Amino acid sequence: MKRRVIAFDLDNTLTDSKSPLVDEMADLLDRLLLRFQVCVISGGTFEQFQKQLLHGLKAAPDALRALHVMPTCGTRYYRFDIATRSWRLVYAEDLTDVQKTKIVAALTKGADALGYRGSRLWGRRSKTEAARSRFSALGQEAPIAETEAWDPDGGKKRKLRDYVAKLIPELGVRVGGSTSIDVTKHGIDKAYGINKLLVLLDAAKQDVIFVGDRLSKGGNDYPVKAMGVDCLAVSRWQDTALVIQTMLGVT
Ligand SMILES: [Mg+2]
């Protein structure tokens, strides 16, 4: 089957967690952009995309037109604007101020009730952006070794998610990264973003391959698999590099 769209998760799929793209991967993506429409979708913000992905790409402006940037699970969508040589926001579906206030109150209450605010902290615990509010138990800047040790079986995060979801049933509450809970409008997950992409590109599910590291049930990539898109599971960017090499026929 001829595919036209290759979509990727960001963390642990194209890069190490919260780390910039390495040159090898940048080169592979630059080449992939000449052959396919390429989407990168993540729960992270556009600023995170800039740091981890966009600054590392060396593709020509024409090639960058094939890149579809979907931060915060596709509630924001950016394309490269050749005239201004910059990334342009095409649409944004943001939370209202009232919703943001309610979210922060619910996350704080839940974290207090479960005793998650007593631990050591690296940076701020809550971060509310246009379309998403994130609670990170150890702070936004916690070292990876600490975050990975905090809740290896996911039980702490699920408890907080369930607690907060009952307080704000009108909003969507999900487990985010290794220490974090994300709140967005309801029904916002990567399947939401991929469905948006299908409309934007006038594409069918069968035209897409999605590559991600959290495709098992409960993972943040799972909704894409559940909607019926063909998915490839990886566990680190080195796996993805092999996948892209195979797509390009350069292995
Ligand atoms: Mg990931």
Side-chain angles (χ1 to χ4, degrees), residues 9-15 17 41-42 190 210-214 220-221 234:
D9 162 55
L10 182 56
D11 266 350
N12 292 320
T13 296
L14 292 179
T15 68
S17 183
I41 182 166
S42 155
K190 288 189 190 176
F210 177 84
V211 185
D213 72 300
R214 290 197 178 181
N220 64 8
D221 296 322
V234 295

Side-chain angles (χ1 to χ4, degrees), residues 11 26 35 41 43 46 59 64-65 68 76 103 107 119 126 136 146-148 150 153 210-211 213 215 218 231 244 250:
D11 266 350
R35 301 262 298 268
I41 182 166
F46 181 66
L64 290 176
R65 286 290 299 159
H68 305 265
R76 299 195 141 215
I103 292 167
L107 285 168
S119 49
S126 319
S136 303
E146 298 284 343
T147 61
E148 285 179 349
W150 184 71
D153 70 354
F210 177 84
V211 185
D213 72 300
L215 282 160
C231 294
I244 298 176
V250 295

